[in-house]
Amino acid sequence: MTPALLASALLVFVTLGYVSLCAASPFGDCRKCRGWGFATKTDRKGRTRRGKDCRRCKATGKRIRVGRHLYNVAARLHRDGTR
């Protein structure tokens, strides 16, 4: 098998895997708060405390995946164009 064919097969495999992940689970953990929904901070004694709510995910701890967002944009564009 040539390296170009192997690379393209690997790229197709990774792409289909990500598409199936976006279809099965469209929301992933927020990268900023790691899915907690808030920042953690420590007090003066070193104990961890709850900090402010995460602004990126609006304290839900979840965010929409990039692939699912692109699918939603394409579907909305198609739906609006075929009305």
Side-chain angles (χ1 to χ4, degrees):
M1 195 180 270
T2 64
L5 185 62
L6 183 63
S8 63
L10 182 64
L11 184 65
V12 167
F13 180 72
V14 169
T15 303
L16 290 177
Y18 185 69
V19 166
S20 64
L21 176 69
C22 288
S25 175
F27 295 99
D29 288 339
C30 177
R31 292 185 300 262
K32 186 174 183 182
C33 64
R34 297 185 189 112
W36 284 91
F38 55 87
T40 56
K41 62 180 185 176
T42 56
D43 60 3
R44 290 174 24 180
K45 292 183 180 179
R47 294 182 298 220
T48 56
R49 297 284 184 195
R50 180 187 170 108
K52 294 182 179 180
D53 288 342
C54 180
R55 293 187 302 170
R56 183 178 290 177
C57 65
K58 298 181 180 72
T60 61
K62 296 293 179 185
R63 62 165 178 86
I64 194 159
R65 294 186 194 274
V66 174
R68 184 60 184 215
H69 177 72
L70 291 175
Y71 172 76
N72 289 348
V73 168
R76 188 178 308 122
L77 182 67
H78 176 73
R79 186 174 53 243
D80 291 345
T82 56
R83 274 192 218 176

